[in-house]
Amino acid sequence: MKRDLIDITDLSVEEIDELIAKAEDIIEHPEEYREKCKYKKLATLFYEPSTRTRLSFESAMYELGGQVLGFSEAQSSSAAKGESVADTARTVSCFADIIAMRHPKEGAPLVASMKATVPVINAGDGGHHHPTQTLTDLLTIKREKGRLDNLVIGCCGDLKFGRTVHSLIGAMSRYENVRFVLISPEELRVPESVRSDLLEKQKINFVETTSLEEAMPQLDILYMTRVQRERFFNEDDYVRLKDSYILTPDKLRTAKWDLSILHPLPRVNEISTAIDDDPRACYFRQVLCGKFIRMALMLKLLEVE
């Protein structure tokens, strides 16, 4: 029976730990995986722009010895002619062994998974879920901290539309003694669904604040996000909020010496480039982790031993 990955909760904690262990083995022994997916094909169906996620999936499959086909924007697919996601998924299933889909509409990858005859990976759907970014984040945290429990995690910026934050909260809330500090303008607080269904329902320790400076000294992880222009209906609201939080060296003065700074990227201006050479800046190491965890995930969903 085929497995899909639409939401990070589709994976148990044990499965996530297994994927992280597999990714770390790939990092240590890359030569052992170079032909694991020989003759396998990945289809990347990206209905909205992406650099890191799409290239990470493609690079992952190439490093496993497989091949890649697909499209990088809706206008270069039959979607421009009005073809439905369901029909595209059924069609592409005839050509590929596994599908990675990004779509601006929430739920589109789920619809695709219901019609596709091969595994479907949600590579981001609107402001909803982005499970492979979450796996990337978890692998990064594990490699930087050596653990996924007993952490104080600060999420800063756009917590309303930030699908990466929603997925990260969902995943990390299943590990012991994890506390969240949610830092955002009032207008960009986490949605009520995340607050009630994830945090409050599971009795997760969290606080909400508008001050990054006040939160900084207690954080083990600082997860920065950009204010996403593409999620706003009102340009004036975007302009007013886009520079709400900009991380500079001065704001790190009170941070822990072993703070880990993550960002799903792309960065606009929310992290000063002056921080890039700080050993606490993990976001480019995080990009590399994305390739390895996606290799591990595809091996699992393709049932490649």
Side-chain angles (χ1 to χ4, degrees):
M1 181 178 176
K2 81 178 181 84
R3 286 281 304 270
D4 306 298
L5 179 60
I6 306 302
D7 182 329
I8 192 64
T9 56
D10 292 340
L11 297 170
S12 67
V13 172
E14 292 74 21
E15 287 178 314
I16 290 173
D17 291 342
E18 287 170 7
L19 286 171
I20 289 173
K22 176 67 72 174
E24 293 191 306
D25 192 62
I26 293 171
I27 292 169
E28 295 298 320
H29 308 101
E31 68 284 349
E32 295 182 10
Y33 293 87
R34 285 178 183 153
E35 293 193 351
K36 288 288 188 181
C37 285
K38 191 174 182 180
Y39 305 122
K40 299 289 186 181
K41 293 184 289 293
L42 163 71
T44 52
L45 312 185
F46 277 63
Y47 290 80
E48 65 177 2
S50 169
T51 301
R52 273 149 301 279
T53 303
R54 182 172 61 85
L55 294 183
S56 180
F57 269 110
E58 294 180 358
S59 176
M61 180 53 90
Y62 284 133
E63 294 211 13
L64 290 170
Q67 296 175 307
V68 178
L69 52 96
F71 54 82
S72 58
E73 59 179 350
Q75 292 307 308
S76 61
S77 75
S78 287
K81 303 175 185 176
E83 183 175 56
S84 68
V85 164
D87 281 1
T88 298
R90 293 190 70 170
T91 300
V92 174
S93 294
C94 299
F95 309 136
D97 301 288
I98 189 167
I99 294 170
M101 173 182 283
R102 168 167 289 188
H103 202 286
K105 291 185 179 178
E106 296 179 4
L110 176 60
V111 171
S113 72
M114 295 167 68
K115 297 298 182 181
T117 58
V118 300
V120 173
I121 301 172
N122 179 3
D125 60 334
H128 203 210
H129 296 293
H130 195 351
T132 62
Q133 179 62 53
T134 305
L135 290 172
T136 297
D137 300 339
L138 297 183
L139 175 60
T140 306
I141 293 170
K142 174 64 163 49
R143 290 185 66 78
E144 296 293 329
K145 293 297 184 188
R147 66 187 190 279
L148 290 172
D149 54 9
N150 299 295
L151 293 167
V152 178
I153 302 173
C155 299
C156 180
D158 179 0
L159 309 188
K160 180 178 181 180
F161 299 107
R163 60 192 171 199
T164 59
V165 169
H166 305 164
S167 291
L168 181 66
I169 290 173
M172 291 298 298
S173 63
R174 295 192 285 176
Y175 289 89
E176 290 186 8
N177 195 29
V178 171
R179 184 163 69 90
F180 291 96
V181 181
L182 306 176
I183 309 153
S184 71
E186 289 291 336
E187 298 92 333
L188 296 177
R189 294 170 63 192
V190 292
E192 182 57 35
S193 59
V194 174
R195 188 180 297 104
S196 59
D197 294 347
L198 281 177
L199 295 165
E200 293 174 351
K201 185 177 181 180
Q202 297 184 45
K203 296 181 172 58
I204 304 303
N205 191 342
F206 78 98
V207 295
E208 295 180 276
T209 181
T210 58
S211 174
L212 175 58
E213 288 84 348
E214 288 181 11
M216 187 68 76
Q218 60 189 303
L219 304 180
D220 298 307
I221 306 286
L222 174 57
Y223 195 92
M224 295 293 296
T225 67
R226 69 186 172 95
V227 176
Q228 303 173 83
R229 185 179 216 143
E230 63 269 29
R231 307 295 175 209
F232 278 81
F233 297 106
N234 186 316
E235 180 71 12
D236 290 340
D237 286 344
Y238 168 74
V239 170
R240 179 169 54 84
L241 295 171
K242 69 183 180 70
D243 294 333
S244 296
Y245 300 96
I246 299 176
L247 186 63
T248 61
D250 186 60
K251 289 180 181 175
L252 285 176
R253 283 186 302 104
T254 60
K256 293 181 178 180
W257 67 268
D258 62 345
L259 172 72
S260 296
I261 305 166
L262 277 66
H263 191 307
L265 302 179
R267 164 177 59 182
V268 181
N269 68 338
E270 59 278 1
I271 298 180
S272 165
T273 55
I275 290 174
D276 291 353
D277 293 328
D278 189 307
R280 293 172 291 188
C282 303
Y283 31 90
F284 292 114
R285 297 195 292 275
Q286 186 179 356
V287 172
L288 188 56
C289 283
K291 178 182 69 174
F292 296 119
I293 200 69
R294 289 180 176 104
M295 290 171 73
L297 176 64
M298 288 193 289
L299 289 171
K300 178 178 179 63
L301 297 183
L302 287 168
E303 298 181 329
V304 175
E305 294 298 330

